[in-house]
Each structure stands twice: as C-alpha cells, then as structure tokens.
Amino acid sequence: MRWISLVVLLWSMVSVGCSETEDDNGCVENLDLECSPLYEPIFSEIHQQTLVPSCALAGGSCHSSQGAKGGLVLEEEQGAYEALVDNADRVKPGDPACSGLVVRLESSSNSFVMPPGSPLSEAERCVLRQWIAAGANP
C-alpha cells in the first residue's frame, strides 16, 4: 500500500512540473538579482540578443509565428513586449520571482524549463530577472 501511495505522489509531482526552485505559490525562491547580466537589461537588447535567437527564429522555433506555442509569438519586438507584459502570468513587472517567464527559465524540470533542451546561461537569465525587477519597461 505504501508503495502505491509513493508512486502516486511521485507521479503527481512529475505531471505538474514540480521543481525544487519553486515554492508553493509557483514563485522562484532565493532569486539572485545581484547577478552579472550578459548585457544591459533593456527590452530591445533582450529581444535582439535572447528572445529571437533562442525562442523565435523563423522556421519552427517554439515562439515563431509558425510555432506560436502557448499563443506566444516573439519575432517582432513590439508584439513580443505586449505578449509578455500584457499577460500577468508571463511577466509581473517588479516581481521576477513570480513571473511565469522566470519560473520557466529557472526550472530544474527538463519538461518545464525554457528553452527546452538548451537552457539559457545564468548571465542571460540574469538580464531577464533584472529587467522584470526594474519594472519590465519597453
């Protein structure tokens, strides 16, 4: 009986994307904002240096107009900004720890982390965390 309960518990943790870095509210614990960013944390740089090459390259990337996973298209700067910031589940200006984007970027779960298969470097994730902490301005 204990074996079945353990299996059920483990399966439920896997199926909801449980991560050691997330707390019960879906926020990232102990988020480092004093990190060293790869480049200046402004949206035009984030879009050009991270979002387009890692997430939105035309021709099949998850967030290109062809892929549009989760309804999110990141190819054009203004559209990408609006899609991220106008959806409070994706980016919560001033609150990177509870922004869905950061939760996905910081996840330790291979089935939940973005981008899949090739997570961003710490310095690249740092840029996004600092941008959101500063208010996620365009």
Side-chain angles (χ1 to χ4, degrees):
M1 188 68 163
R2 283 185 176 171
W3 173 250
I4 293 172
S5 297
L6 181 59
V7 169
V8 170
L9 176 64
L10 290 173
W11 175 250
S12 66
M13 289 174 66
V14 169
S15 67
V16 296
C18 188
S19 169
E20 292 177 16
T21 62
E22 298 170 42
D23 69 17
D24 290 340
N25 296 321
C27 300
V28 179
E29 295 179 345
N30 305 316
L31 193 62
D32 181 14
L33 297 176
E34 299 299 320
C35 51
S36 298
L38 185 61
Y39 50 83
E40 186 178 4
I42 57 175
F43 191 74
S44 60
E45 292 298 315
I46 290 168
H47 183 259
Q48 179 182 0
Q49 295 193 46
T50 298
L51 297 179
V52 170
S54 298
C55 313
L57 283 177
S61 288
C62 294
H63 300 293
S64 68
S65 55
Q66 291 85 9
K69 296 276 185 171
L72 182 60
V73 176
L74 300 174
E75 291 172 329
E76 295 184 24
E77 186 176 331
Q78 184 62 35
Y81 177 80
E82 291 169 0
L84 291 170
V85 177
D86 288 350
N87 183 326
D89 291 333
R90 292 179 177 146
V91 170
K92 295 180 181 186
D95 189 6
C98 294
S99 292
L101 176 64
V102 173
V103 171
R104 297 290 298 255
L105 292 173
E106 299 294 332
S107 177
S108 60
S109 169
N110 289 336
S111 64
F112 191 72
V113 70
M114 287 191 304
S118 183
L120 299 179
S121 70
E122 165 57 23
E124 230 169 349
R125 293 190 323 269
C126 175
V127 171
L128 288 153
R129 294 191 306 258
Q130 288 183 355
W131 169 68
I132 294 170
N137 297 308

